[in-house]
Structures are given as structure tokens and as C-alpha cells.
Amino acid sequence: MTRISIQRHYATMQPLIKLGEEIRARGHLDAKLVELVLMRCSQINGCAFCLDMHSKDARAAGETEQRLYLLPAWRETKLYSEAEQAALAFAEELTELPSHESVSDALYERLHQHFDDAAVIDLILLVGLINTWNRLNIAVRTEGGHYKPAAH
């Protein structure tokens, strides 16, 4: 049961929506990578609405079913590029953030082998954004399973 209708408060959500649009528009991060990161964070947080949304958006962006199915175990397959692996590891650490030392220098250097500063900033913003959306949707119990992707 949904506690609050997000749709009724769409105007309030505009800064979050706009930030997501700006991150995508800047183009520092590949569209499929964006969806993988959004899905992985949503898996960690258990947000059904965001998993529904971003799995459909990933498919619309050309992502394969196999890579979506194996995303929770991305470390155990060679289906993800080195850049994707670095971004996923970084996203996981930022999502779980057990301490201030969570993002190791080694991980940060690994990330910088594949992404410039602008892309790293966008990745940090993307992870923060999806964690906000996850918490919002979980708090108000937004039901997953009904999202329809926009045309890409």
C-alpha cells in the first residue's frame, strides 16, 4: 500500500528529476552504465519501484537480459568491462558507506583509470541521487511493476 502518491508531489520532485536529466545530458557516463549503476544501488537498497524502472530503461537503452540478470553477481562474470566494474564497485561502496574510509585510494585510482574528474563527479551525483530516490520510494511504499519507459 502506497503511503503518499509521488505523482501528486511531482513539482516537489523537480530538482531531483532535473539533476538526473542533467547528469544524462552531460554525456560523461554511457547510458547503459547509468542504468546499471542505478539498478545496482536499487538492488542493494531493495527498492522495487526503482528496479522496475531502471531494468526497463536499461533494456530500452540496449542493455542485454543476461547482463541485467547477472548484475547482482557482476564480480563473478566477464560480461562487464573494466570501466563498468570500477563504476559498480564505486557505486556499491558509496551506497553502503559503512565508514569514511569506504572508498579506498585503490578503488579511486581504479575508477580514474577509466573516468575523468567530470565523469567521477557525475557518478557520485548519480549514486547520491538514486539513493535519495530509493529512500523516498521505500519510505512512501511506491509499488513497483507498473513503470512504462519513455522512448529513447
Side-chain angles (χ1 to χ4, degrees):
M1 166 195 291
T2 300
R3 292 175 175 165
I4 298 171
S5 170
I6 299 273
Q7 291 79 13
R8 286 194 197 136
H9 298 279
Y10 189 74
T12 304
M13 307 300 156
Q14 282 305 301
L16 297 176
I17 294 166
K18 185 173 169 115
L19 177 58
E21 291 170 350
E22 289 173 0
I23 291 168
R24 291 171 194 273
R26 282 193 289 272
H28 297 132
L29 302 170
D30 176 75
K32 289 194 281 188
L33 176 61
V34 166
E35 297 305 329
L36 290 175
V37 166
L38 296 174
M39 280 193 62
R40 186 65 193 122
C41 295
S42 298
Q43 288 170 341
I44 291 167
N45 291 323
C47 182
F49 180 82
C50 291
L51 282 168
D52 179 45
M53 172 185 281
H54 297 296
S55 64
K56 291 173 181 174
D57 285 347
R59 286 180 191 95
E63 190 54 80
T64 67
E65 294 292 317
Q66 186 179 25
R67 284 171 36 104
L68 294 178
Y69 296 148
L70 292 177
L71 185 58
W74 63 265
R75 287 178 177 85
E76 300 171 26
T77 179
K78 296 188 188 288
L79 291 177
Y80 306 93
S81 71
E82 288 290 324
E84 290 169 332
Q85 291 176 37
L88 290 168
F90 189 71
E92 286 180 355
E93 287 202 17
L94 285 177
T95 296
E96 294 171 341
L97 210 58
S99 74
H100 288 192
E101 290 81 33
S102 291
V103 180
S104 69
D105 289 339
L107 177 55
Y108 190 78
E109 289 305 316
R110 180 178 167 204
L111 190 68
H112 256 277
Q113 291 174 4
H114 304 284
F115 301 96
D116 64 15
D117 287 347
V120 171
I121 291 296
D122 276 353
L123 185 57
I124 293 167
L125 290 171
L126 184 68
V127 171
L129 179 62
I130 192 59
N131 278 286
T132 298
W133 279 116
N134 290 164
R135 283 150 179 78
L136 181 84
N137 283 304
I138 290 168
V140 302
R141 294 191 177 150
T142 306
E143 185 179 328
H146 305 289
Y147 175 76
K148 302 275 191 266
H152 284 268

CSV table of all heavy atoms in Angstrom, one decimal, residues 80-139:
chain,number,residue,atom,x,y,z
A,80,TYR,N,31.1,-7.7,-17.9
A,80,TYR,CA,31.2,-6.2,-17.6
A,80,TYR,C,32.6,-5.7,-17.9
A,80,TYR,O,33.6,-6.4,-17.4
A,80,TYR,CB,30.7,-5.9,-16.2
A,80,TYR,CG,29.3,-6.5,-15.9
A,80,TYR,CD1,29.2,-7.7,-15.3
A,80,TYR,CD2,28.2,-5.7,-16.3
A,80,TYR,CE1,27.9,-8.2,-15.1
A,80,TYR,CE2,27.0,-6.3,-16.1
A,80,TYR,CZ,26.8,-7.5,-15.5
A,80,TYR,OH,25.6,-8.1,-15.3
A,81,SER,N,32.7,-4.6,-18.6
A,81,SER,CA,34.1,-4.1,-18.9
A,81,SER,C,34.8,-3.6,-17.6
A,81,SER,O,34.1,-3.5,-16.5
A,81,SER,CB,33.9,-2.9,-19.8
A,81,SER,OG,33.4,-1.8,-19.1
A,82,GLU,N,36.1,-3.4,-17.7
A,82,GLU,CA,36.8,-2.9,-16.5
A,82,GLU,C,36.3,-1.6,-16.0
A,82,GLU,O,36.2,-1.4,-14.8
A,82,GLU,CB,38.3,-2.7,-16.9
A,82,GLU,CG,39.0,-4.0,-17.1
A,82,GLU,CD,39.3,-4.8,-15.8
A,82,GLU,OE1,39.5,-4.1,-14.8
A,82,GLU,OE2,39.2,-6.0,-15.9
A,83,ALA,N,35.9,-0.7,-16.9
A,83,ALA,CA,35.3,0.6,-16.5
A,83,ALA,C,34.0,0.3,-15.8
A,83,ALA,O,33.7,1.0,-14.8
A,83,ALA,CB,35.0,1.5,-17.8
A,84,GLU,N,33.1,-0.6,-16.3
A,84,GLU,CA,31.9,-0.8,-15.6
A,84,GLU,C,32.1,-1.4,-14.2
A,84,GLU,O,31.4,-1.1,-13.3
A,84,GLU,CB,31.0,-1.8,-16.5
A,84,GLU,CG,30.5,-1.1,-17.7
A,84,GLU,CD,29.9,-2.1,-18.7
A,84,GLU,OE1,30.3,-3.3,-18.7
A,84,GLU,OE2,29.0,-1.7,-19.5
A,85,GLN,N,33.1,-2.4,-14.2
A,85,GLN,CA,33.4,-3.0,-12.9
A,85,GLN,C,33.8,-1.9,-11.9
A,85,GLN,O,33.4,-2.0,-10.7
A,85,GLN,CB,34.5,-4.0,-13.0
A,85,GLN,CG,34.0,-5.3,-13.8
A,85,GLN,CD,35.1,-6.3,-14.0
A,85,GLN,OE1,36.0,-6.4,-13.2
A,85,GLN,NE2,35.1,-6.9,-15.2
A,86,ALA,N,34.7,-1.0,-12.3
A,86,ALA,CA,35.2,0.1,-11.4
A,86,ALA,C,34.0,0.9,-10.9
A,86,ALA,O,33.9,1.3,-9.8
A,86,ALA,CB,36.2,0.9,-12.1
A,87,ALA,N,33.1,1.3,-11.9
A,87,ALA,CA,32.0,2.1,-11.5
A,87,ALA,C,31.0,1.4,-10.6
A,87,ALA,O,30.5,2.0,-9.7
A,87,ALA,CB,31.2,2.6,-12.8
A,88,LEU,N,30.8,0.1,-10.8
A,88,LEU,CA,29.9,-0.7,-10.0
A,88,LEU,C,30.5,-0.8,-8.6
A,88,LEU,O,29.7,-0.7,-7.6
A,88,LEU,CB,29.6,-2.0,-10.6
A,88,LEU,CG,28.7,-2.0,-11.8
A,88,LEU,CD1,28.7,-3.3,-12.5
A,88,LEU,CD2,27.3,-1.6,-11.5
A,89,ALA,N,31.8,-1.1,-8.5
A,89,ALA,CA,32.4,-1.2,-7.1
A,89,ALA,C,32.3,0.2,-6.4
A,89,ALA,O,32.0,0.2,-5.2
A,89,ALA,CB,33.9,-1.6,-7.3
A,90,PHE,N,32.5,1.2,-7.1
A,90,PHE,CA,32.4,2.6,-6.5
A,90,PHE,C,31.0,2.9,-6.1
A,90,PHE,O,30.8,3.3,-4.9
A,90,PHE,CB,32.9,3.6,-7.6
A,90,PHE,CG,33.1,5.0,-7.1
A,90,PHE,CD1,34.1,5.3,-6.2
A,90,PHE,CD2,32.2,6.0,-7.5
A,90,PHE,CE1,34.3,6.6,-5.8
A,90,PHE,CE2,32.4,7.3,-7.0
A,90,PHE,CZ,33.4,7.6,-6.2
A,91,ALA,N,30.0,2.5,-6.9
A,91,ALA,CA,28.6,2.8,-6.6
A,91,ALA,C,28.2,2.0,-5.3
A,91,ALA,O,27.5,2.5,-4.4
A,91,ALA,CB,27.7,2.4,-7.7
A,92,GLU,N,28.7,0.7,-5.3
A,92,GLU,CA,28.3,-0.1,-4.1
A,92,GLU,C,28.9,0.5,-2.8
A,92,GLU,O,28.2,0.5,-1.8
A,92,GLU,CB,28.9,-1.5,-4.3
A,92,GLU,CG,28.1,-2.3,-5.3
A,92,GLU,CD,28.6,-3.7,-5.5
A,92,GLU,OE1,29.7,-4.1,-4.9
A,92,GLU,OE2,28.0,-4.5,-6.2
A,93,GLU,N,30.2,0.9,-2.9
A,93,GLU,CA,30.8,1.4,-1.7
A,93,GLU,C,30.1,2.7,-1.2
A,93,GLU,O,29.9,3.0,0.0
A,93,GLU,CB,32.3,1.6,-1.9
A,93,GLU,CG,33.0,0.3,-1.9
A,93,GLU,CD,34.5,0.4,-1.6
A,93,GLU,OE1,35.0,1.4,-1.0
A,93,GLU,OE2,35.2,-0.6,-1.9
A,94,LEU,N,29.8,3.6,-2.2
A,94,LEU,CA,29.1,4.8,-1.8
A,94,LEU,C,27.7,4.6,-1.3
A,94,LEU,O,27.2,5.3,-0.4
A,94,LEU,CB,29.0,5.8,-3.0
A,94,LEU,CG,30.2,6.5,-3.4
A,94,LEU,CD1,30.0,7.3,-4.7
A,94,LEU,CD2,30.8,7.3,-2.3
A,95,THR,N,27.0,3.5,-1.8
A,95,THR,CA,25.7,3.2,-1.3
A,95,THR,C,25.7,2.6,0.1
A,95,THR,O,24.9,2.9,1.0
A,95,THR,CB,25.0,2.2,-2.3
A,95,THR,OG1,24.8,2.9,-3.5
A,95,THR,CG2,23.6,1.7,-1.8
A,96,GLU,N,26.7,1.7,0.4
A,96,GLU,CA,26.8,1.1,1.7
A,96,GLU,C,27.5,1.9,2.7
A,96,GLU,O,27.1,1.8,3.9
A,96,GLU,CB,27.4,-0.3,1.5
A,96,GLU,CG,26.6,-1.2,0.6
A,96,GLU,CD,27.3,-2.5,0.2
A,96,GLU,OE1,28.5,-2.6,0.3
A,96,GLU,OE2,26.6,-3.5,-0.1
A,97,LEU,N,28.5,2.7,2.3
A,97,LEU,CA,29.2,3.6,3.1
A,97,LEU,C,29.2,3.3,4.6
A,97,LEU,O,28.7,4.1,5.5
A,97,LEU,CB,28.6,5.0,2.9
A,97,LEU,CG,29.5,6.2,3.0
A,97,LEU,CD1,30.6,6.1,2.1
A,97,LEU,CD2,28.7,7.5,2.8
A,98,PRO,N,29.9,2.2,5.0
A,98,PRO,CA,30.0,1.9,6.5
A,98,PRO,C,30.9,2.8,7.2
A,98,PRO,O,30.7,2.9,8.5
A,98,PRO,CB,30.5,0.5,6.5
A,98,PRO,CG,31.2,0.3,5.2
A,98,PRO,CD,30.5,1.2,4.2
A,99,SER,N,31.8,3.5,6.6
A,99,SER,CA,32.7,4.4,7.3
A,99,SER,C,33.3,5.4,6.3
A,99,SER,O,33.1,5.3,5.1
A,99,SER,CB,33.9,3.6,7.9
A,99,SER,OG,34.8,3.2,6.9
A,100,HIS,N,34.0,6.4,6.8
A,100,HIS,CA,34.5,7.5,5.9
A,100,HIS,C,35.7,6.9,5.1
A,100,HIS,O,36.1,7.5,4.1
A,100,HIS,CB,35.0,8.6,6.8
A,100,HIS,CG,33.9,9.4,7.3
A,100,HIS,ND1,34.1,10.6,7.9
A,100,HIS,CD2,32.6,9.2,7.4
A,100,HIS,CE1,32.9,11.1,8.3
A,100,HIS,NE2,32.0,10.2,8.0
A,101,GLU,N,36.2,5.8,5.5
A,101,GLU,CA,37.3,5.2,4.7
A,101,GLU,C,36.8,4.2,3.6
A,101,GLU,O,37.6,3.5,3.0
A,101,GLU,CB,38.3,4.4,5.7
A,101,GLU,CG,39.1,5.3,6.5
A,101,GLU,CD,38.3,5.8,7.8
A,101,GLU,OE1,37.5,5.1,8.3
A,101,GLU,OE2,38.5,7.0,8.2
A,102,SER,N,35.5,4.2,3.4
A,102,SER,CA,34.9,3.2,2.5
A,102,SER,C,35.5,3.2,1.1
A,102,SER,O,35.7,2.2,0.5
A,102,SER,CB,33.4,3.4,2.4
A,102,SER,OG,32.8,3.0,3.7
A,103,VAL,N,35.6,4.4,0.5
A,103,VAL,CA,36.1,4.5,-0.8
A,103,VAL,C,37.7,4.5,-0.7
A,103,VAL,O,38.2,5.6,-0.5
A,103,VAL,CB,35.6,5.7,-1.6
A,103,VAL,CG1,36.1,5.8,-3.0
A,103,VAL,CG2,34.1,5.6,-1.6
A,104,SER,N,38.3,3.4,-0.9
A,104,SER,CA,39.7,3.3,-0.8
A,104,SER,C,40.5,4.1,-1.9
A,104,SER,O,39.9,4.3,-2.9
A,104,SER,CB,40.2,1.8,-0.8
A,104,SER,OG,40.0,1.3,-2.1
A,105,ASP,N,41.7,4.4,-1.6
A,105,ASP,CA,42.5,5.1,-2.6
A,105,ASP,C,42.7,4.1,-3.8
A,105,ASP,O,42.7,4.6,-5.0
A,105,ASP,CB,43.9,5.4,-2.0
A,105,ASP,CG,43.8,6.6,-1.0
A,105,ASP,OD1,42.8,7.3,-1.1
A,105,ASP,OD2,44.8,6.7,-0.2
A,106,ALA,N,42.8,2.8,-3.6
A,106,ALA,CA,43.0,1.9,-4.7
A,106,ALA,C,41.8,1.9,-5.6
A,106,ALA,O,41.9,1.9,-6.8
A,106,ALA,CB,43.2,0.5,-4.1
A,107,LEU,N,40.6,1.9,-5.0
A,107,LEU,CA,39.3,1.9,-5.8
A,107,LEU,C,39.2,3.2,-6.6
A,107,LEU,O,38.9,3.3,-7.7
A,107,LEU,CB,38.1,1.7,-4.9
A,107,LEU,CG,36.8,1.8,-5.7
A,107,LEU,CD1,36.7,0.9,-6.9
A,107,LEU,CD2,35.6,1.5,-4.7
A,108,TYR,N,39.6,4.3,-5.9
A,108,TYR,CA,39.5,5.6,-6.5
A,108,TYR,C,40.5,5.7,-7.7
A,108,TYR,O,40.1,6.2,-8.8
A,108,TYR,CB,39.8,6.7,-5.5
A,108,TYR,CG,39.6,8.1,-6.1
A,108,TYR,CD1,38.3,8.6,-6.1
A,108,TYR,CD2,40.6,8.9,-6.5
A,108,TYR,CE1,38.0,9.9,-6.6
A,108,TYR,CE2,40.4,10.2,-7.0
A,108,TYR,CZ,39.1,10.7,-7.1
A,108,TYR,OH,38.8,11.9,-7.6
A,109,GLU,N,41.7,5.2,-7.5
A,109,GLU,CA,42.6,5.1,-8.7
A,109,GLU,C,42.2,4.2,-9.8
A,109,GLU,O,42.3,4.6,-11.0
A,109,GLU,CB,44.0,4.7,-8.1
A,109,GLU,CG,44.7,5.7,-7.3
A,109,GLU,CD,44.8,7.1,-8.0
A,109,GLU,OE1,45.2,7.1,-9.1
A,109,GLU,OE2,44.6,8.1,-7.3
A,110,ARG,N,41.6,3.1,-9.4
A,110,ARG,CA,41.0,2.2,-10.4
A,110,ARG,C,39.9,2.9,-11.2
A,110,ARG,O,39.9,2.8,-12.5
A,110,ARG,CB,40.4,1.0,-9.7
A,110,ARG,CG,39.8,0.0,-10.6
A,110,ARG,CD,39.3,-1.2,-9.8
A,110,ARG,NE,38.5,-2.1,-10.6
A,110,ARG,CZ,37.6,-2.9,-10.1
A,110,ARG,NH1,37.4,-3.0,-8.8
A,110,ARG,NH2,36.8,-3.6,-10.9
A,111,LEU,N,39.1,3.7,-10.6
A,111,LEU,CA,38.0,4.4,-11.2
A,111,LEU,C,38.6,5.5,-12.2
A,111,LEU,O,38.1,5.6,-13.3
A,111,LEU,CB,37.1,5.1,-10.2
A,111,LEU,CG,35.8,5.7,-10.6
A,111,LEU,CD1,34.8,4.6,-11.1
A,111,LEU,CD2,35.2,6.5,-9.5
A,112,HIS,N,39.6,6.1,-11.7
A,112,HIS,CA,40.3,7.2,-12.5
A,112,HIS,C,41.0,6.7,-13.7
A,112,HIS,O,41.4,7.4,-14.6
A,112,HIS,CB,41.2,8.1,-11.6
A,112,HIS,CG,40.5,9.4,-11.3
A,112,HIS,ND1,40.6,10.5,-12.2
A,112,HIS,CD2,39.8,9.8,-10.3
A,112,HIS,CE1,39.9,11.5,-11.7
A,112,HIS,NE2,39.4,11.1,-10.5
A,113,GLN,N,41.3,5.4,-13.8
A,113,GLN,CA,41.9,4.8,-15.0
A,113,GLN,C,40.9,4.8,-16.1
A,113,GLN,O,41.3,4.7,-17.3
A,113,GLN,CB,42.3,3.4,-14.7
A,113,GLN,CG,43.5,3.3,-13.8
A,113,GLN,CD,43.8,1.8,-13.4
A,113,GLN,OE1,43.2,0.9,-14.0
A,113,GLN,NE2,44.8,1.6,-12.6
A,114,HIS,N,39.6,4.9,-15.8
A,114,HIS,CA,38.6,4.8,-16.8
A,114,HIS,C,37.7,6.1,-17.0
A,114,HIS,O,37.1,6.2,-18.0
A,114,HIS,CB,37.6,3.6,-16.5
A,114,HIS,CG,38.4,2.3,-16.4
A,114,HIS,ND1,38.8,1.6,-17.4
A,114,HIS,CD2,38.7,1.7,-15.3
A,114,HIS,CE1,39.5,0.5,-17.0
A,114,HIS,NE2,39.4,0.5,-15.7
A,115,PHE,N,37.7,6.9,-16.0
A,115,PHE,CA,36.8,8.1,-16.0
A,115,PHE,C,37.6,9.3,-15.6
A,115,PHE,O,38.4,9.3,-14.6
A,115,PHE,CB,35.7,7.9,-15.0
A,115,PHE,CG,34.8,6.7,-15.3
A,115,PHE,CD1,35.0,5.5,-14.7
A,115,PHE,CD2,33.8,6.8,-16.3
A,115,PHE,CE1,34.3,4.4,-15.0
A,115,PHE,CE2,33.0,5.7,-16.6
A,115,PHE,CZ,33.3,4.5,-15.9
A,116,ASP,N,37.3,10.5,-16.3
A,116,ASP,CA,37.9,11.7,-15.9
A,116,ASP,C,37.2,12.3,-14.7
A,116,ASP,O,36.2,11.8,-14.2
A,116,ASP,CB,38.0,12.7,-17.1
A,116,ASP,CG,36.7,13.1,-17.6
A,116,ASP,OD1,35.6,12.9,-16.9
A,116,ASP,OD2,36.6,13.7,-18.7
A,117,ASP,N,37.7,13.5,-14.2
A,117,ASP,CA,37.1,14.1,-13.0
A,117,ASP,C,35.6,14.4,-13.2
A,117,ASP,O,34.8,14.2,-12.3
A,117,ASP,CB,37.8,15.4,-12.6
A,117,ASP,CG,39.2,15.1,-12.0
A,117,ASP,OD1,39.5,13.9,-11.6
A,117,ASP,OD2,40.0,16.1,-11.9
A,118,ALA,N,35.3,14.9,-14.4
A,118,ALA,CA,33.8,15.3,-14.6
A,118,ALA,C,32.9,14.0,-14.6
A,118,ALA,O,31.8,14.1,-14.0
A,118,ALA,CB,33.7,16.0,-16.0
A,119,ALA,N,33.4,12.9,-15.1
A,119,ALA,CA,32.6,11.7,-15.1
A,119,ALA,C,32.5,11.1,-13.6
A,119,ALA,O,31.5,10.6,-13.2
A,119,ALA,CB,33.2,10.6,-16.0
A,120,VAL,N,33.6,11.3,-12.9
A,120,VAL,CA,33.6,10.8,-11.5
A,120,VAL,C,32.6,11.6,-10.7
A,120,VAL,O,31.8,11.1,-9.9
A,120,VAL,CB,35.0,10.8,-10.8
A,120,VAL,CG1,34.9,10.6,-9.3
A,120,VAL,CG2,35.9,9.8,-11.5
A,121,ILE,N,32.6,12.9,-10.9
A,121,ILE,CA,31.6,13.8,-10.2
A,121,ILE,C,30.2,13.4,-10.6
A,121,ILE,O,29.3,13.2,-9.7
A,121,ILE,CB,31.9,15.3,-10.5
A,121,ILE,CG1,33.2,15.7,-9.8
A,121,ILE,CG2,30.7,16.1,-10.0
A,121,ILE,CD1,33.2,15.7,-8.3
A,122,ASP,N,30.0,13.1,-11.8
A,122,ASP,CA,28.6,12.7,-12.3
A,122,ASP,C,28.2,11.4,-11.7
A,122,ASP,O,27.1,11.1,-11.3
A,122,ASP,CB,28.5,12.7,-13.8
A,122,ASP,CG,28.2,14.0,-14.4
A,122,ASP,OD1,27.9,15.0,-13.6
A,122,ASP,OD2,28.2,14.1,-15.6
A,123,LEU,N,29.2,10.5,-11.5
A,123,LEU,CA,28.9,9.2,-10.9
A,123,LEU,C,28.6,9.3,-9.5
A,123,LEU,O,27.6,8.7,-9.0
A,123,LEU,CB,30.1,8.2,-11.1
A,123,LEU,CG,30.0,6.8,-10.6
A,123,LEU,CD1,28.8,6.1,-11.3
A,123,LEU,CD2,31.3,6.1,-10.9
A,124,ILE,N,29.3,10.2,-8.7
A,124,ILE,CA,29.0,10.5,-7.3
A,124,ILE,C,27.6,11.0,-7.2
A,124,ILE,O,26.8,10.6,-6.4
A,124,ILE,CB,30.0,11.4,-6.7
A,124,ILE,CG1,31.4,10.7,-6.6
A,124,ILE,CG2,29.6,11.9,-5.3
A,124,ILE,CD1,32.6,11.6,-6.3
A,125,LEU,N,27.3,12.0,-8.1
A,125,LEU,CA,25.9,12.6,-8.0
A,125,LEU,C,24.8,11.6,-8.4
A,125,LEU,O,23.8,11.6,-7.8
A,125,LEU,CB,25.8,13.8,-9.0
A,125,LEU,CG,26.6,15.0,-8.6
A,125,LEU,CD1,26.7,16.0,-9.8
A,125,LEU,CD2,26.1,15.7,-7.3
A,126,LEU,N,25.1,10.7,-9.4
A,126,LEU,CA,24.2,9.7,-9.8
A,126,LEU,C,23.9,8.7,-8.6
A,126,LEU,O,22.7,8.4,-8.3
A,126,LEU,CB,24.7,8.9,-11.0
A,126,LEU,CG,23.8,7.9,-11.6
A,126,LEU,CD1,22.6,8.5,-12.3
A,126,LEU,CD2,24.6,7.0,-12.6
A,127,VAL,N,24.9,8.3,-7.9
A,127,VAL,CA,24.7,7.4,-6.8
A,127,VAL,C,24.0,8.1,-5.7
A,127,VAL,O,23.1,7.5,-5.1
A,127,VAL,CB,26.1,6.8,-6.3
A,127,VAL,CG1,25.9,6.0,-5.0
A,127,VAL,CG2,26.7,5.9,-7.4
A,128,GLY,N,24.3,9.3,-5.4
A,128,GLY,CA,23.6,10.0,-4.3
A,128,GLY,C,22.1,10.2,-4.7
A,128,GLY,O,21.2,10.1,-3.9
A,129,LEU,N,21.9,10.5,-6.0
A,129,LEU,CA,20.5,10.7,-6.5
A,129,LEU,C,19.7,9.4,-6.4
A,129,LEU,O,18.6,9.5,-5.8
A,129,LEU,CB,20.6,11.2,-7.9
A,129,LEU,CG,19.2,11.4,-8.6
A,129,LEU,CD1,18.4,12.5,-7.9
A,129,LEU,CD2,19.4,11.8,-10.1
A,130,ILE,N,20.2,8.3,-6.8
A,130,ILE,CA,19.4,7.1,-6.8
A,130,ILE,C,19.2,6.6,-5.3
A,130,ILE,O,18.1,6.1,-5.0
A,130,ILE,CB,20.0,5.9,-7.6
A,130,ILE,CG1,19.0,4.8,-7.8
A,130,ILE,CG2,21.3,5.4,-7.1
A,130,ILE,CD1,17.7,5.2,-8.4
A,131,ASN,N,20.2,6.9,-4.5
A,131,ASN,CA,20.0,6.5,-3.1
A,131,ASN,C,18.8,7.4,-2.5
A,131,ASN,O,18.1,6.9,-1.6
A,131,ASN,CB,21.3,6.6,-2.3
A,131,ASN,CG,22.1,5.4,-2.4
A,131,ASN,OD1,21.8,4.4,-1.9
A,131,ASN,ND2,23.2,5.5,-3.2
A,132,THR,N,18.8,8.6,-2.9
A,132,THR,CA,17.7,9.5,-2.4
A,132,THR,C,16.3,9.0,-2.9
A,132,THR,O,15.4,8.8,-2.2
A,132,THR,CB,17.9,11.0,-2.9
A,132,THR,OG1,19.1,11.4,-2.3
A,132,THR,CG2,16.7,11.8,-2.5
A,133,TRP,N,16.3,8.6,-4.2
A,133,TRP,CA,15.0,8.1,-4.8
A,133,TRP,C,14.7,6.8,-4.1
A,133,TRP,O,13.5,6.5,-3.8
A,133,TRP,CB,15.2,7.9,-6.3
A,133,TRP,CG,15.0,9.1,-7.2
A,133,TRP,CD1,15.9,9.7,-7.9
A,133,TRP,CD2,13.8,9.9,-7.3
A,133,TRP,NE1,15.4,10.8,-8.6
A,133,TRP,CE2,14.1,10.9,-8.2
A,133,TRP,CE3,12.5,9.8,-6.8
A,133,TRP,CZ2,13.2,11.9,-8.6
A,133,TRP,CZ3,11.6,10.8,-7.1
A,133,TRP,CH2,11.9,11.8,-8.0
A,134,ASN,N,15.6,5.9,-3.9
A,134,ASN,CA,15.4,4.6,-3.2
A,134,ASN,C,14.7,4.9,-1.9
A,134,ASN,O,13.7,4.3,-1.5
A,134,ASN,CB,16.6,3.8,-3.0
A,134,ASN,CG,17.2,3.2,-4.3
A,134,ASN,OD1,18.4,2.8,-4.3
A,134,ASN,ND2,16.5,3.2,-5.4
A,135,ARG,N,15.3,5.8,-1.1
A,135,ARG,CA,14.8,6.0,0.2
A,135,ARG,C,13.4,6.7,0.2
A,135,ARG,O,12.5,6.3,1.0
A,135,ARG,CB,15.8,6.9,1.0
A,135,ARG,CG,17.0,6.1,1.5
A,135,ARG,CD,18.3,6.9,1.6
A,135,ARG,NE,19.4,6.1,2.1
A,135,ARG,CZ,20.1,5.2,1.4
A,135,ARG,NH1,19.8,5.0,0.1
A,135,ARG,NH2,21.0,4.5,1.9
A,136,LEU,N,13.2,7.5,-0.8
A,136,LEU,CA,11.9,8.2,-0.9
A,136,LEU,C,10.8,7.1,-1.3
A,136,LEU,O,9.8,7.0,-0.6
A,136,LEU,CB,12.0,9.2,-2.0
A,136,LEU,CG,10.7,10.0,-2.3
A,136,LEU,CD1,10.5,11.1,-1.2
A,136,LEU,CD2,10.7,10.5,-3.7
A,137,ASN,N,11.1,6.3,-2.3
A,137,ASN,CA,10.2,5.3,-2.7
A,137,ASN,C,9.9,4.2,-1.6
A,137,ASN,O,8.8,3.8,-1.5
A,137,ASN,CB,10.6,4.7,-4.0
A,137,ASN,CG,10.3,5.6,-5.2
A,137,ASN,OD1,9.2,6.0,-5.4
A,137,ASN,ND2,11.3,5.9,-5.9
A,138,ILE,N,10.9,3.8,-0.9
A,138,ILE,CA,10.7,2.9,0.2
A,138,ILE,C,9.9,3.5,1.3
A,138,ILE,O,9.0,2.8,1.8
A,138,ILE,CB,12.1,2.3,0.6
A,138,ILE,CG1,12.7,1.4,-0.5
A,138,ILE,CG2,12.0,1.6,2.0
A,138,ILE,CD1,14.2,1.1,-0.2
A,139,ALA,N,10.2,4.7,1.6
A,139,ALA,CA,9.5,5.4,2.7
A,139,ALA,C,8.0,5.5,2.5
A,139,ALA,O,7.2,5.4,3.4
A,139,ALA,CB,10.1,6.8,3.0
